Amino acid sequence: MVYLNGNFIKKNQASVSVMDRGFLFGDGVYEVIPVYQGKLFRLTAHLKRLQNSLDAIKIPSPHSNNEWLEILNQLLGYSQPLNQSLYLQITRGSDTQRRHSFEALTPTVYIESSPLIPKTKQALKQGFSAITQTDIRWSRCDIKATSLLANVLYSQNAKENQVEEIILHRNDIVTEGATSNVFIIKNKTLFTHPSGAHILSGITRDLALESALACKLPINESVFSVDELLNADEVWISSSTREIMPITQIDNQLINHGKIGTYWECVYNHYQQLKND
Ligand code: PLP
């Protein structure tokens, strides 16, 4: 079952107009909300970011927080797995003709759920590889926009190169991953790019920082270079569906001799506790 504009219907029966601006322009925003043991994880933070994205592109919010909660819980009621990932998309809606500028339209709201199977600690402890590439995206990466062409190309590139993630850099400064935030540890301090227009400030990023503090790891939200990335003691990436993953090889260079760092393990354990709160 999926949710489309007020109705719970079978996915193969869900359709939208070809005049939908989401289809024509990628004119919309989205959220991905994890569900653990049937419970929406960090819903308030996700809804706040959704509201920020909607405000940034001037789409009026179609629902209050209470209405979202009701819709999401109703959708969860239709599906079996206890752990799921909810994909929620709002486009500006359907117009009568194709034009770049817009007038007030009724937003299209689509929500689907898919099983969420996080990697086990054992699997994560193998470590993952990444490659670096120039960040070619626009300068409003803080908006969780459905227009994801650059990210699509990066993900295809990751697949073709058999790596977990593409780590992006702008003028030699590491911004984030194509679908994740990036952290390094150097001199027993955690560094990550500050929030702002050049990254999507992840909900998992905030939780990773919270977990780092619990592990007595000092945090420095400041930029670092590609060279500092490659010479870090530990590198992690984070996202709602991947949680916090250790990266042990970048551009064919081993990080920490290819070994998982001790801070990662502490932060991973703390994050797992947060999921049970
Ligand atoms: N940065 C980008 C570009 C992303 O696409 C994502 C997630 O999809 C993230 C960061 C991580 O965000 P979150 O932790 O809220 O999933």
Side-chain angles (χ1 to χ4, degrees):
M1 284 294 219
V2 299
Y3 173 89
L4 181 65
N5 297 330
N7 301 307
F8 294 92
I9 49 177
K10 289 207 174 114
K11 197 171 185 172
N12 61 8
Q13 283 165 0
S15 62
V16 293
S17 163
V18 290
M19 292 311 292
D20 194 284
R21 293 180 60 96
F23 175 67
L24 292 173
F25 298 112
D27 185 358
V29 296
Y30 73 106
E31 265 304 319
V32 175
I33 309 175
V35 175
Y36 294 114
Q37 300 303 315
K39 262 179 59 188
L40 292 149
F41 187 53
R42 302 292 159 146
L43 178 67
T44 311
H46 281 282
L47 291 181
K48 185 162 181 277
R49 186 172 64 183
L50 177 65
Q51 187 63 53
N52 289 344
S53 296
L54 288 167
D55 290 347
I57 67 164
K58 299 182 180 167
I59 293 182
S61 182
H63 295 295
S64 67
N65 279 6
N66 280 342
E67 287 168 349
W68 283 125
L69 181 63
E70 202 169 307
I71 294 167
L72 296 174
N73 275 330
Q74 232 176 309
L75 184 62
L76 288 179
Y78 286 110
S79 45
Q80 294 297 330
L82 287 173
N83 295 344
Q84 298 176 43
S85 144
L86 294 179
Y87 174 81
L88 197 163
Q89 167 170 321
I90 301 164
T91 75
R92 198 178 302 280
S94 286
D95 209 339
T96 49
Q97 64 181 92
R98 185 186 178 277
R99 55 188 151 197
H100 289 78
S101 63
F102 54 86
E103 286 164 22
L105 298 168
T106 305
T108 302
V109 180
Y110 173 69
I111 312 172
E112 68 169 33
S113 152
S114 44
L116 177 62
I117 307 162
K119 285 194 164 48
T120 60
K121 188 172 179 185
Q122 209 50 37
L124 288 169
K125 277 179 135 180
Q126 309 292 309
F128 295 85
S129 50
I131 52 177
T132 58
Q133 284 188 356
T134 308
D135 195 341
I136 57 163
R137 301 171 305 162
W138 71 332
S139 297
R140 288 305 308 273
C141 299
D142 53 320
I143 303 172
K144 205 162 166 60
T146 55
S147 35
L148 284 171
L149 202 42
N151 310 62
V152 165
L153 296 177
Y154 286 132
S155 289
Q156 185 61 17
N157 221 290
K159 189 171 139 190
E160 284 165 10
N161 283 282
Q162 294 177 306
V163 294
E164 178 65 28
E165 183 60 301
I166 308 283
I167 296 181
L168 306 174
H169 53 88
R170 231 178 249 263
N171 303 322
D172 199 44
I173 295 297
V174 174
T175 49
E176 60 179 336
T179 55
S180 63
N181 291 115
V182 177
F183 306 79
I184 63 166
I185 295 181
K186 196 70 194 171
N187 301 328
K188 296 189 183 339
T189 302
L190 184 68
F191 293 84
T192 193
H193 194 290
S195 293
H198 284 172
I199 67 161
L200 178 78
S201 199
I203 308 301
T204 323
R205 173 185 180 277
D206 288 346
L207 298 172
L209 294 179
E210 192 182 321
S211 302
L213 285 180
C215 292
K216 309 225 174 326
L217 174 60
I219 293 165
N220 191 342
E221 290 183 63
S222 63
V223 298
F224 52 89
S225 65
V226 174
D227 202 46
E228 286 170 309
L229 171 81
L230 296 174
N231 290 294
D233 298 329
E234 294 188 31
V235 177
W236 317 330
I237 59 168
S238 76
S239 81
S240 291
T241 48
R242 279 143 141 180
E243 305 187 337
I244 304 167
M245 290 181 99
I247 300 293
T248 47
Q249 187 174 333
I250 305 175
D251 295 343
N252 291 325
Q253 201 168 307
L254 292 179
I255 306 296
N256 189 32
H257 309 289
K259 289 204 211 84
I260 302 297
T262 48
Y263 282 116
W264 172 79
E265 185 144 9
C266 180
V267 164
Y268 172 86
N269 289 341
H270 191 266
Y271 185 81
Q272 298 308 311
Q273 278 174 28
L274 292 177
K275 281 163 58 179
N276 297 326
D277 283 353

